[in-house]
Amino acid sequence: MRKDVRILLVGEPKVGKTSLIMSLVSEEFPDEVPLRAEEITIPADVTPERVPTHIVDYSEAEQSDEQLYQEISKANVICIVYSVNNKKSIEKVTSHWIPLINERTDKDSRVPLILVGNKSDLVEHSSMETILPIMNQYSEIETCVECSAKNLKNISELFYYAQKAVLHPTGPLYSPEEKEMKPSCIKSLTRIFKISDLDNDGILNDNELNFFQRTCFNIPLAPQALEDVKNVVRKNMSDGVKDNGLTLKGFLFLHTLFIQRGRHETTWTVLRRFGYDDDLELTQEYLFPLLKIPPDCTTELNHNAYLFLQSVFDKHDKDRDCALSPDELKDLFKVFPYMPWGPDVNNTVCTNEQGWITYQGYLSQWTLTTYLDVQRCLEYLGYLGYSIIQEQESQAAAITITRNKRIDLQKKQTQRSVFRCNVLGARGCGKSGFLQAFLGRNLTRQKRIREDHKSYYAISTTYVYGQEKYLLLHEVLPDFEFLSEADLACDVVCLVYDISNPRSFEYCAKVYKKHFLDCKTPCVIIAAKSDLHEARQYYSLSPLDFCRKHKLHPPQMFTCNTAEAPSKDIYTKLTTMAMYPHAKLRCMCSCNRCTYCICHNLLNSELVRSVKAKFYSAVLNRHMTQADLKNSTFWLRASVGATVFAVLGFAMYKALLKQR
Ligand code: GDP
Ligand code: MG
């Protein structure tokens, strides 16, 4: 809404412009007035709409045409004053004043006009008969009013209408010619209806209406008022009320009624509350609230935002199959100005057998957008009406900015729940297969993916010590020359080679030596296509020797050429490494003897998972810290510990830890 309002009064000499202004200010009729009143500013707190209002007089005798034109271009609303007892002054409204003003304003952004018939105390009859045809002819005329400076009739009303014409213009809402709301207004109100229809049944029931009312007007609607509203609609149309709730048709009808009765500020209040500006576009502040992301921090959705997204999913998953069919997805995005998700999204997140995005996949995609492009995420949340439905200050309330990664590394702890793994490797070595396998797709399933629907990202969840974490895999294009900082910055790196292609390991070795040799980011070598015959790699060191030399874990065998969904183990390991990059020695074995394996297995057994997850996580954190401190002896201690642990059980182990 505008910050102030500038009202200009024009008209023939002696119609009473100056007197009107003086009467408003002094609340009495001045017998003598100057030719032109000084510009006055009415402070916000005494105006009905609570905005500072400037009132500007005009006098032909005192001002040049040039000065008049300047004032016209500065004005937000112009009152054309005539005298009801002076025919000539009425004629001049159309023969002189309206053309003069219109010549000086853009056709698309005409200033609203108000026709003011002054000196109503002097006549018995009204001038409305003459005025109404003029009103119908010029859509920029917002309203007309008859008043008298002399007996103070309709003076404050006049200035209130002028203010209202600026603050709540009817132009964008309503077409007087068609006598109906404009398409863009219908579109905006339809979106508002959809957002407010929390259960998506096409009807605003009493609860939803009350919520809507409270959101827009800060006061609940009394039960009787609620009934009255519905009765008004019932009286006027047959399908405006259904199952004792308001249909979209009824909702739109109500707003048309408000506007037609001059109560369009009601409709404006609703529109503005849902983020619209005077042109019925969502404002920048609503879609893109300020959010500063310091370097080395990442962005995640907080619990409240997930709950909201969950409710949005539930409201659109009509058949309750925990996946969104193309129609359900289309319905979900109806409140967007465009379809935000392309077909690549179906290959970025988990889908069901039909290829539809599952609940899990849906949340993953939101997590991905939040991580990669938080501005976009804010925009999308804005379209869904997050801040309104969740009663938050702005969309920014949905975002958690994580602690600087360097502090995480120092403290050897992280609160983050999204970790990024960049996947590098020569062309054709199996990177995409590695990404798709994370979404549970084997090679046969992957072959069905169209080239133009391919995604360079895959995101899903893994469980690390009982805690659900997101792992975001990003396939980096193999052009060695073009590897940028962004391609390399991540929490864990996968270097993939194809065991059947003797020339593929060289790429991994080269990238490792060039970019990751002295880098703190943990690296894993993935030996892909392990179902194929292994070829000897043309490189000075074998992959295994290379790993030994650089103190890396041995190459991790991987294949997605499986009958069922490929195993998820490797992704859990990657997430663990991303979470605990400081633990220099990491267990990647499955020996079932060392602490890691035991903890891990225990955690994965359903029995203890939920109850003890948090505690185990703490235990492991301590282990990692100790491992780092006493690097060389850690495994020795740990293996002793593990034996004791296995034999004596959990409680004793805890005591043992304390003794240390
Ligand atoms: P302006 O030239 O348009 O600014 O007109 P003025 O305010 O100077 O008024 C012109 C004359 O009309 C003055 O003599 C006023 O006293 C008189 N006048 C202004 N308003 C009214 C009104 O509402 N009723 C009557 N009877 N006279 C008015
Ligand atoms: Mg004057």
Side-chain angles (χ1 to χ4, degrees):
M1 210 159 86
R2 290 195 60 85
K3 303 262 175 328
D4 61 352
V5 171
R6 196 174 171 88
I7 304 172
L8 172 67
L9 278 74
V10 299
E12 296 303 294
K14 300 281 157 217
V15 292
K17 299 181 291 300
T18 311
S19 303
L20 283 170
I21 298 174
M22 303 303 239
S23 291
L24 174 81
V25 178
S26 60
E27 289 182 357
E28 57 183 13
F29 180 65
D31 287 326
E32 280 188 28
V33 290
L35 280 174
R36 179 172 181 255
E38 296 277 332
E39 176 180 329
I40 60 161
T41 298
I42 305 178
D45 51 347
V46 296
T47 71
E49 293 285 346
R50 314 234 155 239
V51 279
T53 301
H54 314 283
I55 300 177
V56 183
D57 194 8
Y58 164 71
S59 159
E60 199 181 278
E62 281 203 349
Q63 287 170 290
S64 66
D65 285 351
E66 202 42 54
Q67 283 170 316
L68 170 65
Y69 303 152
Q70 266 183 18
E71 285 300 344
I72 288 176
S73 59
K74 281 201 295 191
N76 305 124
V77 52
I78 300 177
C79 298
I80 306 180
V81 187
Y82 61 91
S83 167
V84 289
N85 67 344
N86 179 343
K87 259 203 161 138
K88 197 174 144 245
S89 72
I90 302 182
E91 273 166 34
K92 285 274 189 164
V93 169
T94 44
S95 65
H96 178 67
W97 289 106
I98 296 180
L100 181 124
I101 292 166
N102 280 351
E103 263 168 45
R104 264 144 206 98
T105 47
D106 260 0
K107 203 169 181 334
D108 307 321
S109 54
R110 289 257 152 96
V111 268
L113 304 178
I114 293 178
L115 299 188
V116 182
N118 188 31
K119 309 195 189 179
S120 67
D121 55 291
L122 293 181
V123 292
E124 295 288 296
H125 66 274
S126 150
S127 64
M128 278 307 143
E129 242 165 75
T130 339
I131 293 304
L132 282 175
I134 306 179
M135 275 201 67
N136 282 334
Q137 193 183 343
Y138 299 94
S139 59
E140 54 272 35
I141 302 177
E142 191 74 24
T143 187
C144 58
V145 52
E146 286 190 348
C147 59
S148 163
K150 185 155 188 183
N151 55 23
L152 302 180
K153 193 179 145 214
N154 275 350
I155 305 294
S156 42
E157 285 82 352
L158 152 66
F159 289 97
Y160 172 56
Y161 293 148
Q163 243 191 6
K164 217 167 96 164
V166 178
L167 301 174
H168 314 296
T170 43
L173 305 184
Y174 191 74
S175 152
E177 294 91 4
E178 326 270 337
K179 297 212 174 3
E180 57 188 39
M181 283 197 289
K182 288 191 172 166
S184 55
C185 177
I186 294 178
K187 207 174 125 206
S188 310
L189 288 173
T190 305
R191 178 175 160 266
I192 292 171
F193 181 91
K194 269 199 78 78
I195 292 173
S196 309
D197 179 12
L198 299 173
D199 57 9
N200 198 28
D201 65 350
I203 296 166
L204 294 186
N205 60 31
D206 284 2
N207 273 341
E208 290 161 347
L209 274 172
N210 262 322
F211 182 78
F212 174 80
Q213 170 76 18
R214 202 157 38 81
T215 314
C216 294
F217 305 100
N218 288 326
I219 32 164
L221 216 53
Q224 189 50 47
L226 210 63
E227 273 321 301
D228 291 347
V229 167
K230 283 186 260 184
N231 281 334
V232 170
V233 178
R234 272 194 200 103
K235 256 188 222 147
N236 283 280
M237 54 189 357
S238 56
D239 45 0
V241 175
K242 209 172 130 191
D243 300 338
N244 200 31
L246 210 54
T247 64
L248 173 62
K249 214 169 152 199
F251 182 74
L252 293 176
F253 168 78
L254 265 185
H255 282 283
T256 313
L257 207 65
F258 291 148
I259 299 169
Q260 284 172 343
R261 297 202 175 157
R263 301 301 306 273
H264 43 283
E265 67 269 27
T266 314
T267 302
W268 270 120
T269 307
V270 171
L271 288 164
R272 294 211 173 92
R273 180 66 186 86
F274 279 80
Y276 289 95
D277 65 10
D278 281 359
D279 301 318
L280 295 186
E281 305 280 350
L282 291 172
T283 62
Q284 293 292 305
E285 300 87 75
Y286 176 80
L287 290 180
F288 304 104
L290 217 62
L291 188 67
K292 269 192 117 176
I293 320 288
D296 290 323
C297 298
T298 56
T299 40
E300 300 179 354
L301 290 165
N302 60 28
H303 181 62
N304 186 281
Y306 277 114
L307 285 182
F308 170 73
L309 291 169
Q310 189 181 332
S311 71
V312 171
F313 183 95
D314 287 344
K315 121 179 195 186
H316 291 94
D317 180 21
K318 291 242 162 117
D319 55 7
R320 303 248 166 265
D321 64 348
C322 277
L324 294 173
S325 70
D327 280 344
E328 287 170 343
L329 202 63
K330 223 165 106 192
D331 189 41
L332 192 149
F333 288 127
K334 265 206 186 125
V335 291
F336 282 56
Y338 54 88
M339 177 70 189
W341 293 0
D344 58 317
V345 173
N346 295 56
N347 296 318
T348 307
V349 300
C350 289
T351 51
N352 68 6
E353 282 91 70
Q354 285 118 306
W356 300 345
I357 292 165
T358 59
Y359 172 66
Q360 230 281 268
Y362 161 88
L363 292 183
S364 299
Q365 179 62 26
W366 276 97
T367 308
L368 178 80
T369 311
T370 314
Y371 186 96
L372 294 179
D373 189 352
V374 72
Q375 291 299 321
R376 197 151 276 258
C377 168
L378 293 172
E379 181 192 339
Y380 291 177
L381 286 170
Y383 295 143
L384 290 178
Y386 167 76
S387 62
I388 302 157
I389 300 298
Q390 293 292 306
E391 304 179 67
Q392 300 289 333
E393 187 106 346
S394 84
Q395 320 307 340
I399 309 295
T400 301
I401 300 172
T402 63
R403 185 164 74 175
N404 187 312
K405 192 174 161 181
R406 269 182 264 156
I407 302 178
D408 273 4
L409 287 174
Q410 263 170 29
K411 305 222 170 199
K412 298 179 176 156
Q413 258 180 25
T414 183
Q415 298 291 318
R416 288 169 55 195
S417 52
V418 188
F419 297 89
R420 177 179 178 135
C421 169
N422 283 351
V423 180
L424 293 99
R427 204 172 302 280
C429 69
K431 298 186 291 298
S432 302
F434 185 69
L435 262 70
Q436 290 299 318
F438 186 33
L439 307 178
R441 300 167 184 184
N442 62 19
L443 203 58
T444 323
R445 169 72 184 77
Q446 291 176 27
K447 293 222 164 98
R448 303 212 307 262
I449 297 173
R450 277 169 54 168
E451 191 55 32
D452 55 332
H453 292 177
K454 210 181 136 161
S455 173
Y456 289 98
Y457 290 94
I459 179 165
S460 189
T461 51
T462 61
Y463 279 90
V464 176
Y465 311 124
Q467 291 171 282
E468 191 182 41
K469 299 287 174 189
Y470 281 97
L471 180 68
L472 186 174
L473 299 176
H474 171 47
E475 174 176 349
V476 178
L477 289 174
D479 286 310
F480 204 77
E481 311 297 311
F482 295 113
L483 288 183
S484 67
E485 277 290 308
D487 288 329
L488 302 167
C490 58
D491 303 302
V492 57
V493 179
C494 276
L495 299 170
V496 184
Y497 74 98
D498 169 358
I499 66 156
S500 69
N501 176 356
R503 303 216 171 264
S504 63
F505 182 72
E506 191 187 3
Y507 181 94
C508 298
K510 258 167 94 180
V511 172
Y512 181 80
K513 288 209 295 208
K514 176 139 185 236
H515 297 291
F516 299 108
L517 202 53
D518 302 313
C519 149
K520 292 228 158 62
T521 315
C523 286
V524 183
I525 307 273
I526 307 284
K529 310 192 189 178
S530 65
D531 54 304
L532 298 181
H533 181 71
E534 185 165 5
R536 208 185 131 86
Q537 293 290 329
Y538 294 141
Y539 187 73
S540 52
L541 291 173
S542 75
L544 186 62
D545 288 339
F546 183 89
C547 290
R548 275 202 193 116
K549 180 173 167 199
H550 295 289
K551 300 200 170 60
L552 294 171
H553 292 289
Q556 302 292 302
M557 291 297 155
F558 172 81
T559 176
C560 56
N561 193 3
T562 49
E564 302 295 313
S567 154
K568 271 204 161 194
D569 282 357
I570 182 69
Y571 307 104
T572 308
K573 284 177 184 174
L574 288 171
T575 316
T576 315
M577 290 173 84
M579 287 175 71
Y580 304 102
H582 52 277
K584 291 209 177 71
L585 277 170
R586 270 171 238 98
C587 178
M588 295 286 283
C589 67
S590 299
C591 69
N592 286 322
R593 278 188 293 126
C594 66
T595 316
Y596 175 92
C597 288
I598 289 168
C599 272
H600 192 77
N601 288 343
L602 264 177
L603 282 169
N604 281 336
S605 76
E606 280 301 324
L607 260 178
V608 289
R609 183 190 264 167
S610 54
V611 192
K612 293 181 178 164
K614 280 228 163 76
F615 183 78
Y616 278 114
S617 176
V619 169
L620 217 107
N621 255 327
R622 283 180 71 169
H623 266 297
M624 292 301 183
T625 316
Q626 287 166 355
D628 213 22
L629 288 174
K630 313 170 193 125
N631 221 329
S632 56
T633 52
F634 171 67
W635 287 109
L636 196 72
R637 283 162 181 269
S639 58
V640 173
T643 322
V644 176
F645 180 28
V647 175
L648 298 181
F650 185 66
M652 286 299 285
Y653 183 64
K654 208 166 99 184
L656 210 78
L657 264 181
K658 266 195 195 142
Q659 272 174 24
R660 276 197 205 162

